[in-house]
Amino acid sequence: MIKISFEEYRQSASYSELCGHRIAHWQSGASGNSRETILLIHGFPSAAWDWHYQWINLAKAYQVITLDMLGFGLSAKPKNHRYSLVEQADIIIALLEKKGIKTCHILAHDYGDSVAQELLSRHESERLSFAISSLCFLNGGLFADYHRPLLSQKLLKGPLGFLLSRFMGKASLKKSFTRIFGPNTPPLDEDLDILWGLISLNEGQGVLAELLQYIDERHVHGERWVKSMQSTPVPLYFINGVHDPISGQHMLDRYRKIIPKPHTTALDVGHYPQLEAPEQVLSLYTAFLHTCRS
């Protein structure tokens, strides 16, 4: 499988001041061309590097745009900042406006699912500066009451989280990722090296506790987000790694129960389908995009 190294990732990044923060972003092809655009939104605690395999292949037929959200990867990681899913949506909107993108498909994962839900809600209330052509979710807390965070996440989110984050290292990342990946698709050491490099860049582990406040924010906005999912004419798709203890089979079951005419696929992997089954995710997603044209 083709991989992008840490240095290739860093060297290919562009940077813009968006909503008062320095944000790293990437775009395939020239802006404003005739190709359809796909927006990729990453999850917690990683970065847009998660999408490297899908990026390389989707960029052959689509204009693809992605970013490291505030607090992640190569982007700014301000200390003592009140990180918000709503602010992340604002940053994405600012990026697409800067690029002149008026319509896009969205592929999102984990934390990015919630940001995508916020974008969809604004789309439904005509408060978005671009149109969403389709929206595909990978594993994530689409329904706040069904999200099952790891104990380590609960501790980091708690009052001593800022202290615990100081002791976090690649070994603890490997332990957590091994728990959430599928039994037959464990995380690769080379991937963990890159992911830890992106997390720890500019002492990023120090803001993880602040980023984890998104768990509470999901409860604040969840009802509005779910209503938008239930009423939208935008084509929706949910690809779920069922062995994920955080948002696996139980999240898929809930989706199928409350989303009208649910379009879903269950995969024999864990929380990171795009890394655990990259070819499968690419195949399923491109097939979904073709259905959106018919």
Side-chain angles (χ1 to χ4, degrees), residues 63-96:
Q63 176 177 239
V64 188
I65 188 165
T66 191
L67 73 163
D68 284 349
M69 288 183 281
L70 182 66
F72 297 90
L74 305 182
S75 289
K77 298 173 179 176
K79 305 293 192 296
N80 301 315
H81 182 75
R82 189 176 181 83
Y83 288 92
S84 166
L85 296 164
V86 172
E87 181 184 30
Q88 303 286 17
D90 291 340
I91 290 170
I92 288 175
I93 292 168
L95 175 60
L96 267 61

Side-chain angles (χ1 to χ4, degrees), residues 14 49 53 73 87 96 110 113 118 131 134 138 159 168 176 182 184-185 218 228 235 239 248 267-268 274 278 283:
S14 298
W49 180 87
Y53 180 80
E87 181 184 30
L96 267 61
D110 185 66
D113 284 356
E118 173 64 22
S134 72
L138 302 188
M168 185 176 177
S176 294
N184 300 315
T185 52
R218 281 173 170 166
S228 294
I239 300 173
L267 296 181
D268 189 29
Q274 71 272 48
S283 177

Side-chain angles (χ1 to χ4, degrees), residues 162-183:
F162 71 99
L163 288 175
L164 293 173
S165 65
R166 296 180 184 178
F167 298 98
M168 185 176 177
K170 192 175 74 171
S172 56
L173 178 70
K174 181 174 182 177
K175 183 178 179 181
S176 294
F177 270 44
T178 299
R179 288 190 60 197
I180 64 176
F181 275 51

Side-chain angles (χ1 to χ4, degrees), residues 124-145:
E124 294 308 290
S125 59
E126 300 182 346
R127 295 183 295 117
L128 199 60
S129 58
F130 59 90
I132 299 175
S133 301
S134 72
L135 174 51
C136 177
F137 302 106
L138 302 188
N139 292 57
L142 294 171
F143 314 111
D145 291 340

Side-chain angles (χ1 to χ4, degrees), residues 1 17 30 34 79 84 88 123 129 134 137 187-188 194 218-219 233 236 239 243-244 255 259 266-267 288:
M1 185 182 75
E17 193 79 9
S34 59
K79 305 293 192 296
S84 166
Q88 303 286 17
H123 181 271
S129 58
S134 72
F137 302 106
L188 301 176
I194 293 173
R218 281 173 170 166
H219 288 277
L236 303 180
I239 300 173
H243 296 298
D244 172 17
Y255 187 97
I259 300 301
L267 296 181
F288 168 64

Side-chain angles (χ1 to χ4, degrees), residues 217-279:
E217 198 175 0
R218 281 173 170 166
H219 288 277
V220 173
H221 303 291
E223 183 177 354
R224 171 170 59 87
W225 291 345
V226 172
K227 285 182 178 178
S228 294
M229 292 170 65
Q230 291 173 323
S231 62
T232 184
V234 172
L236 303 180
Y237 184 28
F238 187 23
I239 300 173
N240 182 266
V242 296
H243 296 298
D244 172 17
I246 300 174
S247 54
Q249 184 68 59
H250 60 286
M251 196 67 69
L252 179 60
D253 291 342
R254 183 61 176 170
Y255 187 97
R256 288 171 171 169
K257 183 175 181 179
I258 70 169
I259 300 301
K261 298 180 180 179
H263 183 189
T264 67
T265 298
L267 296 181
D268 189 29
V269 299
H271 186 70
Y272 272 83
Q274 71 272 48
L275 295 179
E276 298 176 64
E279 296 92 347

